[in-house]
């Protein structure tokens, strides 16, 4: 599915009409394609505070073939070339006065940012501050980044990564993700890293080569796109969906060279059947066990709370939340099935953060996913594994195409990028969280919403 208005606004006739009427003109976003460079232009790196991450960032970018320029001065002294990205190393902030350096660097640099450019701010976690002034300065990064994201034009995004001392080795994968086309619809987000064993020299083209990935709800929509992106990145995908979707599921599995598994994830024996499939049937081709589990399956049964019957409530909770709990626990308990360094990615929703009228059951279930991920993160870390969530905003799918026109258009425009996301945007974020190089991302929830005006 495509965003019709974005396509129209970027056509010859549409550009003229939108300019004449003063309508918003969302641009076509820079999305990832295999083989493309990390950035379409050079990057400048500036500092606010001590700036202990600059050398790490510079090394990662140069290894990726990116040209690193000197910081831009207030009068634009470094020349007129458009920038692919602007990176601010704000680690070492001691108090609000240090934030002046952030303004002095960002203001002239952003003026030279090209379309679909990237602004990334790196800082120390506010929770690790030792004084109120230090905590204030670090927390200020939150408001700074979210506001910059709403000021940027032409499909550019702003995000932040909090890097605790000792977690510097975990920075490379988030750095590459947030600067690349994989993060096209991720805007105004803040991620906190943790120290982890990160593999050296990851395969950027096939980061999931040799991995087995389970994707639930894979027969159509976002789930089918997740399966395709995971396969593109090298994984063998076990595509799971209900028997009623068997034909569509088989088509997806055949297209990507994966395996179709018809399974109602709410059935009493669902977890055991999945474990047996991974342990026994996959052993036949040398792929026993699983490296990545994507809990994508989800449903809606909308009604105002006062009019909602128990069946609607219970069905949504069973599919969206309880099944994720049951399957994950079964995989943790089954000896040798969840491989070392495993990745579990759970699909939450913007509704689970902001709430949504008529979706108390759905919003509660998706908020529950975030709580589950946060609570399980320490146990996963102890196993050398990770568990994270993605929270999609308005994604253009066959389901949203059936919404009333006005509701659909408002939902897709009230974000910093002025357009709905695509299923591939969710899939790219999940695939990144699934990579071995993302070992330092654990217990986090990443919104894929174009920085929606709804919620935090």
């Amino acid at each position: 599915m495509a965003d019709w208005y974005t396509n129209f606004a970027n056509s010859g006739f549409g550009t003229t009409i939108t300019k004449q009427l003063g309508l918003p003109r969302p641009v076509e976003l820079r999305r990832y394609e295999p083989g493309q460079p990390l950035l379409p232009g050079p990057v400048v790196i500036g500092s606010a505070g001590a700036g202990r991450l600059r050398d790490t960032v510079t090394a990662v970018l140069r290894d990726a073939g990116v040209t690193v320029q000197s910081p831009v001065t207030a009068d634009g002294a470094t020349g007129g070339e458009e920038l692919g990205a602007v990176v601010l190393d704000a680690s070492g902030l001691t108090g609000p006065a240090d934030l002046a350096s952030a303004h002095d660097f960002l203001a002239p640099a952003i003026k030279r940012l090209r379309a679909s450019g990237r602004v990334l701010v790196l800082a120390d976690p506010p929770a690790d501050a030792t004084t109120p002034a230090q905590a204030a300065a670090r927390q200020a990064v939150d408001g700074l980044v979210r506001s910059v994201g709403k000021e940027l034009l032409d499909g550019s995004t702003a995000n932040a990564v909090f890097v605790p001392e000792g977690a510097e080795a975990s920075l490379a994968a988030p750095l590459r993700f947030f600067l690349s086309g994989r993060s096209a619809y991720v805007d105004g987000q803040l991620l906190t890293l943790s120290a982890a064993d990160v593999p050296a020299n990851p395969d950027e083209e096939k980061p999931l080569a040799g991995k087995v990935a389970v994707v639930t709800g894979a027969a159509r929509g976002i789930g089918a796109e997740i399966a395709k992106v995971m396969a593109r990145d090298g994984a063998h995908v076990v595509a799971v969906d209900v028997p009623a979707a068997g034909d569509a599921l088989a088509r997806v599995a055949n297209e990507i060279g994966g395996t179709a598994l018809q399974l109602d994830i709410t059935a009493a024996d669902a977890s055991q059947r999945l474990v047996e499939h991974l342990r026994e049937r996959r052993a036949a081709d040398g792929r026993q066990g699983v490296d990545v589990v994507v809990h994508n399956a989800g449903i809606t049964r909308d009604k105002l709370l006062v009019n909602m019957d128990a069946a609607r409530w219970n069905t949504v909770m069973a599919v969206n939340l309880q099944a994720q709990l049951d399957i994950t626990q079964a995989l943790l308990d089954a000896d040798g099935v969840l491989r070392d360094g495993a990745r579990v990615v759970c699909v939450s929703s913007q509704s689970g953060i902001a709430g949504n009228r008529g979706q108390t059951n759905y919003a509660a279930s998706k908020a529950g996913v975030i709580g589950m991920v946060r609570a399980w993160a320490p146990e996963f870390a102890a196993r050398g594994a990770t568990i994270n969530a993605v929270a999609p905003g308005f994604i253009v799918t066959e389901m949203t195409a059936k919404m009333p026109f006005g509701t659909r258009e408002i939902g897709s425009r009230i974000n910093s990028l002025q357009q709905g996301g695509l299923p591939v945007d969710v899939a790219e974020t999940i695939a990144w969280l699934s990579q071995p190089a993302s070992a330092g991302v654990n217990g986090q929830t990443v919104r894929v919403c174009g920085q929606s005006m709804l919620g935090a």
Side-chain angles (χ1 to χ4, degrees):
M1 298 293 293
D3 184 331
W4 74 272
Y5 180 77
T6 297
N7 292 339
F8 168 75
N10 286 280
S11 66
F13 177 71
T15 299
T16 302
I17 292 297
T18 52
K19 285 183 177 179
Q20 290 178 345
L21 298 179
L23 297 174
R25 190 166 69 88
V27 303
E28 296 181 9
L29 303 180
R30 173 171 64 94
R31 290 185 166 91
Y32 173 77
E33 294 180 5
Q36 72 179 188
L38 179 65
L39 283 167
V43 62
V44 292
I45 306 172
S47 300
R52 61 182 169 82
L53 301 170
R54 186 183 184 114
D55 289 346
T56 299
V57 173
T58 300
V60 171
L61 294 180
R62 285 180 173 162
D63 284 347
V66 177
T67 300
V68 179
Q69 292 187 350
S70 300
V72 186
T73 60
D75 59 2
T78 60
E81 186 177 4
E82 290 185 326
L83 299 172
V86 175
V87 178
L88 173 64
D89 177 6
S91 58
L93 295 173
T94 60
D98 291 340
L99 295 168
S101 298
H103 164 266
D104 293 344
F105 166 70
L106 289 173
I110 288 174
K111 291 179 181 178
R112 289 180 48 208
L113 198 63
R114 62 177 295 147
S116 284
R118 301 287 187 262
V119 174
L120 186 64
V121 179
L122 311 175
D124 299 292
D128 295 346
T130 57
T131 68
Q134 191 178 63
R138 293 178 178 184
Q139 192 64 49
V141 170
D142 186 317
L144 170 68
V145 167
R146 295 183 194 276
S147 297
V148 168
K150 292 178 179 178
E151 294 180 0
L152 295 175
L153 303 173
D154 299 327
S156 295
T157 63
N159 295 284
V161 179
F162 290 121
V163 187
E165 290 202 28
E168 291 81 5
S170 299
L171 178 57
L175 183 65
R176 288 191 293 262
F177 171 72
F178 282 115
L179 297 185
S180 75
R182 293 179 186 269
S183 63
Y185 203 60
V186 180
D187 192 15
Q189 299 304 293
L190 296 98
L191 189 75
T192 300
L193 301 184
S194 56
D197 292 328
V198 179
N201 303 315
D203 185 341
E204 296 298 327
E205 290 295 319
K206 296 289 185 181
L208 299 178
K211 305 296 183 182
V212 175
V214 168
V215 180
T216 67
R220 58 179 59 84
I222 293 174
E225 193 65 35
I226 295 168
K228 293 173 185 177
V229 170
M230 302 288 271
R232 179 205 69 192
D233 283 357
H236 178 90
V237 178
V238 179
V240 179
D241 217 314
V242 293
D247 290 343
L249 184 68
R251 285 194 294 271
V252 171
N254 289 337
E255 179 181 347
I256 63 175
T259 303
L261 175 61
Q262 296 183 22
L263 181 69
D264 179 354
I265 60 172
T266 66
D269 64 345
S271 297
Q272 189 57 39
R273 285 181 58 194
L274 178 59
V275 166
E276 290 174 357
H277 178 88
L278 295 171
R279 176 181 281 155
E280 299 172 7
R281 300 187 184 184
R282 303 307 309 147
D285 59 8
R287 296 175 182 268
Q288 184 176 6
V290 65
D291 302 281
V292 180
V293 179
V294 181
H295 292 296
N296 166 74
I299 61 171
T300 58
R301 297 291 185 269
D302 297 351
K303 277 282 186 180
L304 293 178
L305 180 63
V306 295
N307 298 325
M308 186 176 298
D309 57 84
R312 289 175 185 267
W313 181 277
N314 294 335
T315 301
V316 167
M317 286 293 172
V319 175
N320 296 2
L321 183 56
Q322 191 62 53
Q324 294 195 24
L325 282 161
D326 292 344
I327 290 173
T328 304
Q329 188 63 62
L331 291 171
L332 288 170
D333 292 342
D335 186 40
V337 173
L338 199 62
R339 293 176 178 170
D340 293 342
R343 303 284 182 261
V344 174
V345 186
C346 307
V347 177
S348 177
S349 170
Q350 174 185 299
S351 295
I353 298 170
N356 202 16
R357 187 177 187 273
Q359 287 195 320
T360 51
N361 51 356
Y362 182 78
S365 69
K366 293 301 187 178
V369 168
I370 295 173
M372 174 189 72
V373 163
R374 189 183 300 125
W376 246 326
E379 180 175 346
F380 272 76
R383 293 170 174 252
T386 67
I387 182 169
N388 294 285
V390 296
F394 191 97
I395 306 298
V396 180
T397 63
E398 292 181 3
M399 182 179 70
T400 60
K402 297 176 183 178
M403 296 170 63
F405 178 81
T407 302
R408 183 176 70 246
E409 288 306 300
I410 291 172
S412 63
R413 307 301 159 203
I414 53 172
N415 60 74
S416 296
L417 298 175
Q418 300 180 322
Q419 59 190 282
L422 301 180
V424 70
D425 298 323
V426 181
E428 293 286 12
T429 304
I430 290 173
W432 165 64
L433 290 169
S434 302
Q435 295 178 11
S438 297
V441 185
N442 189 28
Q444 302 294 297
T445 298
V446 181
R447 288 179 62 183
V448 186
C449 64
Q451 197 183 18
S452 173
M453 304 302 177
L454 301 177

